[in-house]
Amino acid sequence: MAPVAIKEKIFNVGVVDWDIRDFHGYSTYKGTTYNAYLVVDDKITLFDTVKKPFKDDLLHNIHKITDPRNIDYLVVNHVEMDHSGSVPEIIEAIKPEKVFCSAMAKKALEAHYGSHPWPLEVVQNGQEISLGQRTVRFLETRMLHWPDSMFSYIPQDKLLISSDAFGQHWATSETFDDEVALTELLRHAAKYYANILMPYSALVQKLLAAVREMNLAVEMIAPDHGLIWRSRPDAILEAYDVWSQQKAQRKALIIYDTMWHSTEKMAHAVASGLAEEGVSYKLMNLKRNHRSDIVTEVLDTKALIFGSPTLNNGMLPTMADILCYLKGLKPTGKIGSAFGSYGWSGEAVKDIVRWMEEMKIEIVEPPIRVQYVPNHDVLAQCVELGRRIGRAVKERTA
Ligand code: FEO
């Protein structure tokens, strides 16, 4: 990717990673980008670097604008290695006068890369530095995505460099939101939010309130992944407001796996009950859907209904996978239930319910289990469970 001017004398010198397909458990089936921003001012400043294998591409991009040795300042907004992986080599190449980062980032940089005589300068929340014509204000955004994270705001350009926040894992030849379909862009942003930021929703709410209180004029939001919000920063800010409130729609998700189709039949029967109540639903077979796509659906769905047969005194491994992943993402305000078949011991449903209770999912009674194959009566019970969940969804999303 060639550098792209995003504002006068401000360039995205980052790289596109077309090949990545897994990002710590998240299916990045459309790749991603590692954006880095170069501001050409009296003090030439680079905001973030890129994943280590792409360091030469970053240097190559910088070269197209200026000799990297002309860079005065490096800002490390976030230490996760997709952004800091090439910090040691970039510092070696550019020999910056100063490297700005948060106090937590200083510790994290040392923990990742050891002690070096780097010119690290810790900045505080709200602190400003001058680049010449421009100033940069640093805003600490702890846990969005790591304790070290911060935003960099340039008031003269009304530009918010937002690190992980407002990003998307989507490799494109385009750079800006108005060069792609907004619905698809928001879909990628929702997946990103659900899989990365959902556990920190309360902090996102606080951050949005703080930004409103500071009355920051934001004309452009430049995240470190994906496309830059040039035309519709309002759209992503509004979406983050909705997602971080975990506002659920009148929807249900049936997440299941099956061994000999018994649990699958139960899943379809539960779906019939939901349909009778006029509640929108999706069936997501764990053999056909990646956990990160399921979690994207979870984001705005009220009811989560899990189905697994019993295997070796427990649930199927695919079900354990999604429950473990989901628990870490801390969804809130959900209701749901569980179902499944068994041969002789039948622990799966009980174990699923225990996980659901740990996630504070309100259980709609009764979870249903059946020995071997569901007959007409059992399927009728599953339909009734679907109806009951459907009614509860309607009551709670009215
Ligand atoms: Fe894109 Fe938390 O790193």
Side-chain angles (χ1 to χ4, degrees):
M1 180 179 108
V4 177
I6 66 166
K7 291 268 186 184
E8 196 184 343
K9 295 191 175 178
I10 302 181
F11 304 87
N12 180 6
V13 287
V15 300
V16 181
D17 184 348
W18 295 95
D19 289 340
I20 188 170
R21 290 293 176 271
D22 177 84
F23 197 99
H24 52 54
Y26 174 148
S27 155
T28 48
Y29 62 95
K30 291 210 169 178
T32 193
T33 73
Y34 314 111
N35 302 339
Y37 300 100
L38 187 72
V39 176
V40 179
D41 205 320
D42 296 348
K43 294 292 184 184
I44 300 179
T45 305
L46 177 65
F47 292 80
D48 294 312
T49 68
V50 296
K51 203 173 171 181
K52 191 180 173 96
F54 297 92
K55 71 171 171 35
D56 289 339
D57 303 273
L58 174 63
L59 285 170
H60 184 61
N61 282 343
I62 294 169
H63 256 296
K64 288 178 183 161
I65 296 160
T66 186
D67 186 321
R69 286 171 298 188
N70 291 333
I71 294 175
D72 300 286
Y73 295 160
L74 171 65
V75 173
V76 177
N77 274 328
H78 180 24
V79 180
E80 191 165 9
M81 283 187 275
D82 48 333
H83 310 293
S84 78
S86 47
V87 158
E89 288 83 359
I90 294 299
I91 290 180
E92 184 58 32
I94 69 179
K95 300 203 170 26
E97 181 186 326
K98 290 180 181 174
V99 177
F100 295 101
C101 64
S102 67
M104 296 301 279
K106 181 172 188 282
K107 286 185 191 166
L109 281 169
E110 285 167 1
H112 278 74
Y113 305 112
S115 290
H116 294 274
W118 292 342
L120 295 177
E121 187 156 323
V122 168
V123 290
Q124 308 298 324
N125 185 37
Q127 188 175 332
E128 291 189 353
I129 61 167
S130 173
L131 305 186
Q133 304 303 307
R134 297 173 180 80
T135 51
V136 181
R137 189 191 302 180
F138 298 106
L139 306 171
E140 272 197 72
T141 56
R142 286 192 181 202
M143 299 318 299
L144 304 175
H145 163 225
W146 276 12
D148 51 76
S149 298
M150 62 181 191
F151 290 174
S152 298
Y153 175 65
I154 302 178
Q156 291 79 5
D157 295 287
K158 299 185 173 70
L159 170 66
L160 184 68
I161 298 174
S162 62
S163 187
D164 275 341
F166 312 119
Q168 330 91 45
H169 285 312
W170 189 14
T172 59
S173 55
E174 291 77 15
T175 300
F176 299 104
D177 55 351
D178 48 41
E179 298 175 309
V180 298
L182 184 62
T183 46
E184 187 173 5
L185 180 58
L186 284 170
R187 189 75 194 147
H188 286 291
K191 179 171 179 175
Y192 185 96
Y193 185 91
N195 283 274
I196 294 187
L197 296 176
M198 186 155 62
Y200 312 115
S201 288
L203 292 173
V204 173
Q205 277 289 300
K206 275 191 192 163
L207 175 70
L208 293 174
V211 168
R212 277 192 292 266
E213 208 168 283
M214 283 186 274
N215 222 4
L216 291 187
V218 177
E219 200 175 82
M220 178 182 285
I221 299 176
D224 276 2
H225 296 291
L227 291 110
I228 292 168
W229 302 91
R230 170 172 71 178
S231 293
R232 298 300 310 275
D234 59 309
I236 190 64
L237 288 169
E238 279 165 25
Y240 265 51
D241 191 24
V242 171
W243 296 334
S244 58
Q245 291 176 55
Q246 299 209 35
K247 274 185 188 166
Q249 306 288 314
R250 188 171 283 192
K251 288 161 59 174
L253 202 56
I254 302 170
I255 303 161
Y256 74 99
D257 199 351
T258 196
M259 202 186 299
W260 294 107
H261 302 291
S262 290
T263 302
E264 184 174 57
K265 285 178 185 155
M266 298 170 83
H268 284 272
V270 172
S272 299
L274 290 164
E276 285 179 28
E277 289 296 334
V279 167
S280 175
Y281 66 86
K282 277 197 173 113
L283 283 150
M284 298 193 89
N285 182 335
L286 287 160
K287 285 197 184 72
R288 307 273 178 268
N289 294 280
H290 193 272
R291 69 175 84 82
S292 53
D293 293 316
I294 292 172
V295 161
T296 310
E297 296 294 335
V298 166
L299 185 59
D300 68 348
T301 294
K302 187 67 185 173
L304 308 179
I305 312 159
F306 298 93
S308 171
T310 293
L311 173 74
N312 299 332
N313 305 108
M315 64 188 81
L316 285 178
T318 48
M319 182 56 70
D321 178 295
I322 187 67
L323 289 173
C324 174
Y325 189 66
L326 191 57
K327 188 179 171 203
L329 292 170
K330 299 187 174 71
T332 59
K334 308 296 186 190
I335 65 171
S337 199
F339 59 91
S341 67
Y342 68 98
W344 45 96
S345 55
E347 291 90 343
V349 169
K350 199 170 46 179
D351 289 350
I352 291 170
V353 168
R354 194 164 52 242
W355 277 85
M356 294 173 75
E357 286 170 346
E358 284 176 15
M359 285 189 264
K360 298 188 171 42
I361 297 174
E362 180 189 333
I363 306 296
V364 177
E365 300 289 346
I368 298 173
R369 57 182 204 143
V370 64
Q371 190 168 26
Y372 292 121
V373 176
N375 60 20
H376 180 76
D377 288 344
V378 172
L379 291 175
Q381 288 169 30
C382 292
V383 173
E384 180 51 33
L385 178 62
R387 283 195 206 109
R388 206 171 296 130
I389 294 169
R391 288 194 291 274
V393 166
K394 288 193 286 187
E395 279 164 19
R396 286 158 179 77
T397 55

